[in-house]
Amino acid sequence: MHQRLFLPVSIEDPLSFLLNILSTTNPRQSSEVSSWFVHWPIICTILHELDHLFFHHRLPPPLSHPERQFLLTRFSCD
């Protein structure tokens, strides 16, 4: 997971680390936005895989748009 998220191994829980640094306000600098363009789809893919493993006991097929698919499957109104 560390490699996929481009984070050092010294960070004990990389997924929580990234989610905890999510801003609650609009970013002021483009550098704040650009890192999330890289991290967010990876986070969504990892969450999708974990969700699939937990509920279906197997890895899911690859996603074409991970951020959209995760949100659709977890937060649908069905």
Side-chain angles (χ1 to χ4, degrees):
M1 189 179 316
H2 289 83
Q3 286 180 324
R4 288 171 75 179
L5 293 169
F6 306 102
L7 292 172
V9 180
S10 60
I11 296 174
E12 192 173 313
D13 184 357
L15 194 55
S16 293
F17 172 79
L18 286 174
L19 293 174
N20 285 330
I21 61 171
L22 271 173
S23 179
T24 57
T25 61
N26 288 336
R28 295 182 189 183
Q29 298 176 352
S30 63
S31 62
E32 293 175 29
V33 174
S34 63
S35 74
W36 286 105
F37 276 115
V38 172
H39 286 115
W40 190 247
I42 297 169
I43 290 171
C44 290
T45 301
I46 291 170
L47 291 174
H48 177 73
E49 289 171 359
L50 289 172
D51 180 68
H52 219 276
L53 281 169
F54 185 77
F55 291 107
H56 304 288
H57 308 291
R58 59 186 164 79
L59 283 173
L63 298 172
S64 56
H65 299 286
E67 64 283 354
R68 191 171 2 155
Q69 185 62 38
F70 176 74
L71 293 173
L72 287 174
T73 57
R74 297 311 302 156
F75 302 107
S76 65
C77 295
D78 297 343

